[in-house]
Amino acid sequence: MKPSSASPFSHAQPLPSGATLLLSPTDRLVECRGQDIETGLDDLAEHAARLARAPLDELCDALITQSRQVVDDDVAVLALRTPDDSAR
C-alpha cells in the first residue's frame, strides 16, 4: 500500500490471517472517570480476546454493552477481520 502524500499520517501494518482490528473514534471504550487509561486498555484487550472468534456484530455489541455499564456516553466501534487462510 502506498500512502498518499496528501495525508499527514501514513503507515502500513500487515495483519495476519484471521486477525481482527478494532477502531474507535471515541475514547469511551477505554476511558472511565477515576480509572487509569492503561487499566481501561487492559480491560478492553482482555474482553476483546475472549470474543476474538465471535462474529463481528456480536463482538462490537458486546464491547459497546460493556462500555455502557461504566459510562453512559456515545460509543463507536469499527471492527475489521482479515480472511482466515486456514479455513480454505
Side-chain angles (χ1 to χ4, degrees):
M1 172 189 337
K2 183 176 181 179
S4 166
S5 62
S7 173
F9 304 102
S10 59
H11 182 76
Q13 176 65 43
L15 296 173
S17 170
T20 301
L21 174 66
L22 293 174
L23 302 170
S24 180
T26 68
D27 58 2
R28 294 300 172 223
L29 285 179
V30 296
E31 192 171 68
C32 176
R33 186 173 296 139
Q35 177 182 324
D36 183 85
I37 193 161
E38 292 299 323
T39 301
L41 288 168
D42 290 344
D43 291 347
L44 174 61
E46 184 179 310
H47 193 78
R50 284 194 303 268
L51 298 163
R53 297 289 174 213
L56 293 179
D57 58 338
E58 290 177 23
L59 171 69
C60 291
D61 286 347
L63 294 176
I64 290 170
T65 298
Q66 176 161 336
S67 74
R68 290 208 178 273
Q69 292 175 6
V70 178
V71 175
D72 187 25
D73 201 353
D74 294 340
V75 179
V77 180
L78 173 64
L80 307 167
R81 184 168 291 147
T82 59
D84 187 353
D85 293 338
S86 67
R88 292 182 188 179

